[in-house]
Amino acid sequence: MIKVLIAEDQGMLLGALAAMLELEEDLSVVARASNGKEALKLAAEFNPDVVVTDIEMPAMTGLELAAALKDKNPATRVIIVTTFARPGYLRRALDAGVKGYLLKDAPAEQLANAIRKVHQGGKVIAPELATEAWDTEDPLNERERQVLRLAGDGLTSADIAKQLFLSEGTVRNYLSEAIGKLGAGNRIEAARIARQKGWL
Amino acid sequence: MIKVLIAEDQGMLLGALAAMLELEEDLSVVARASNGKEALKLAAEFNPDVVVTDIEMPAMTGLELAAALKDKNPATRVIIVTTFARPGYLRRALDAGVKGYLLKDAPAEQLANAIRKVHQGGKVIAPELATEAWDTEDPLNERERQVLRLAGDGLTSADIAKQLFLSEGTVRNYLSEAIGKLGAGNRIEAARIARQKGWL
DNA sequence: ATTTGTGGATGACGAATGTCACATGACGTC
DNA sequence: GACGTCATGTGACATTCGTCATCCACAAAT
């Protein structure tokens, strides 16, 4: 009997996944969490074989959860189930020792099999991501990321400068750099691109 | 036996919801669709009592689906299940005669009951939305919306002008109007606000 | 002790943006 | 036909943005 913990902030999906997995005879959903922090606590308590987790959650993301589990529950395998086909996410997930990375777009039937495969020591990566160009590196440095995040929310250079304790000119320099690196035409497009790649 | 059709583009959720609802003795999932268009076709074929649908889907959104069903399958009740707590969406949904509007954040257990209630002629609106301030009107006109959509993607005024066959000055005028109406400081913030409200 | 690198600041310039007042023409209404 | 009004343009102006060359301070490397 494979003990499964599910971490997912969308109640609807959490409940539905749990119901679906309970139909499998060799799986048992021993705990549910609606964010990473809760999942970590429950993992310590129930010691699940496999953790199925979303990425974007309040309090603690699935990526942070994976990293923490690698440390505290090294025997527990982690499968990420997310909406986002972003190279940055996949890379960070693999770095955190994640064994599975599935997209919510994929048919639900795949999940049970992925759990079994990962439980047996295998790896399951969504085929859309396993291929080629998904190893694009994040070309931005920390400052550029910060500045771009704020710019993407509509703050002016002056506002950003105030928040980050930089001069306005410096902010413009970083933005200019980021725009160039991303091949964008302006800050808006740059922010869009970076977000879409999972770099923000 | 209540006949249910589910339309949802995330395969994972679609499958999981179907599995969960099939556990209910008085419900039967007669068809599944991954977009509105497909759902409309299947609805004509299976004549479901209740359609459970997401909003943001390719080909045809859940809101468009609801409007079309109101016309072609007036007896079919529609329940929207979406991530987005946006006033614009709820308003449009109600205008399309939708009987239920639930958030994916809500516990999954609610769904079966919502289906029963709606099937009996009732209405189910997520409590977070049923309250007050959710009737904020969209102050934008069609042109302003178009222009803002493109501006939000990082196009310059000149690009937008070309796409919409307007002069650049006119584009700037519309943007200026939109920025003013939304109380924003620039086009980026304006686009962010409008999107968040579900007006784009 | 000099070189090199890095993070940040400055100043200047042209381009894009935001604002406003006003013009034009199409359409409906009285 | 005179009158609003609605969509679109125009021109002018101040501000913000994007770019680039250059400079400064400080730390690490040699």
Side-chain angles (χ1 to χ4, degrees):
Chain A
M1 198 66 146
I2 306 177
K3 288 187 292 179
V4 179
L5 183 154
I6 309 182
E8 162 66 56
D9 63 330
Q10 285 195 346
M12 204 59 76
L13 183 57
L14 175 58
L17 281 180
M20 183 182 75
L21 293 179
E22 282 292 2
L23 294 177
E24 307 286 327
E25 280 125 16
D26 55 337
L27 302 183
S28 165
V29 178
V30 296
R32 309 172 179 196
S34 65
N35 64 63
K37 214 163 204 134
E38 201 185 329
L40 195 58
K41 203 178 302 175
L42 292 172
E45 182 174 348
F46 291 98
N47 198 40
D49 300 304
V50 178
V51 169
V52 174
T53 180
D54 190 8
I55 290 188
E56 298 196 349
M57 293 184 293
M60 182 186 245
T61 72
L63 293 173
E64 292 164 347
L65 171 61
L69 285 173
K70 186 182 183 183
D71 198 48
K72 302 195 176 175
N73 293 49
T76 299
R77 318 283 165 95
V78 176
I79 297 179
I80 301 270
V81 177
T82 178
T83 310
F84 305 106
R86 295 181 182 164
Y89 280 180
L90 176 59
R91 166 172 298 269
R92 278 190 264 165
L94 294 178
D95 287 348
V98 159
K99 295 293 187 296
Y101 193 105
L102 298 180
L103 297 180
K104 287 185 182 173
D105 284 335
E109 291 72 22
Q110 263 180 225
L111 184 58
N113 283 327
I115 293 175
R116 290 188 194 100
K117 190 156 176 195
V118 162
H119 180 240
Q120 286 160 18
K123 266 194 168 187
V124 183
I125 307 294
E128 301 91 309
L129 300 181
T131 56
E132 24 105 25
W134 290 97
D135 51 355
T136 31
E137 276 282 4
D138 181 351
L140 304 175
N141 64 35
E142 186 51 27
R143 278 308 202 189
E144 287 157 2
R145 257 193 301 278
Q146 289 177 17
V147 164
L148 205 49
R149 249 193 295 267
L150 296 174
D153 286 343
L155 300 207
T156 66
S157 302
D159 292 338
I160 298 172
K162 253 173 250 159
Q163 280 215 20
L164 301 183
F165 303 102
L166 294 173
S167 89
E168 186 182 336
T170 304
V171 169
R172 290 222 298 277
N173 287 338
Y174 286 138
L175 279 173
S176 186
E177 264 300 296
I179 292 169
K181 285 181 179 177
L182 298 178
N186 57 49
R187 54 179 69 193
I188 316 177
E189 206 185 336
R192 210 171 47 76
I193 293 172
R195 254 193 253 277
Q196 182 219 314
K197 298 268 191 184
W199 291 334
L200 288 192
Chain B
M1 197 69 147
I2 306 177
K3 287 187 293 179
V4 179
L5 183 155
I6 309 181
E8 163 65 57
D9 63 330
Q10 286 195 345
M12 206 58 80
L13 184 57
L14 175 58
L17 282 180
M20 183 182 75
L21 292 180
E22 282 293 1
L23 294 176
E24 307 286 329
E25 283 125 13
D26 56 338
L27 302 183
S28 165
V29 179
V30 295
R32 308 172 177 196
S34 65
N35 64 63
K37 214 163 205 135
E38 199 185 330
L40 195 56
K41 203 179 301 175
L42 292 171
E45 183 174 347
F46 291 97
N47 198 41
D49 299 306
V50 177
V51 169
V52 173
T53 179
D54 190 8
I55 290 188
E56 299 196 348
M57 293 184 294
M60 184 187 244
T61 72
L63 293 172
E64 292 163 347
L65 171 62
L69 284 173
K70 187 183 182 182
D71 199 46
K72 302 196 176 176
N73 293 48
T76 299
R77 317 285 165 92
V78 176
I79 298 179
I80 300 271
V81 177
T82 178
T83 312
F84 307 106
R86 295 181 181 163
Y89 280 0
L90 177 58
R91 165 172 298 270
R92 280 190 264 164
L94 294 178
D95 287 348
V98 160
K99 294 294 187 296
Y101 192 106
L102 297 181
L103 296 181
K104 287 185 182 173
D105 284 336
E109 292 70 24
Q110 263 181 223
L111 183 58
N113 283 327
I115 292 174
R116 290 188 194 99
K117 191 157 175 194
V118 163
H119 179 241
Q120 287 161 17
K123 266 194 170 186
V124 183
I125 306 295
E128 302 91 310
L129 300 181
T131 56
E132 22 104 24
W134 289 98
D135 52 356
T136 31
E137 276 282 5
D138 180 351
L140 305 175
N141 63 37
E142 186 50 28
R143 278 311 200 188
E144 287 157 2
R145 258 192 301 277
Q146 291 177 14
V147 164
L148 206 47
R149 248 192 297 267
L150 297 175
D153 286 341
L155 300 207
T156 65
S157 303
D159 293 337
I160 298 172
K162 253 171 252 158
Q163 280 215 20
L164 301 183
F165 304 103
L166 294 174
S167 88
E168 186 181 338
T170 304
V171 169
R172 292 223 295 279
N173 286 338
Y174 286 139
L175 279 172
S176 186
E177 263 300 296
I179 291 168
K181 284 181 179 176
L182 298 177
N186 55 50
R187 53 177 72 192
I188 316 178
E189 202 185 340
R192 205 172 49 75
I193 294 171
R195 254 194 253 278
Q196 181 218 315
K197 297 270 191 183
W199 291 334
L200 288 193

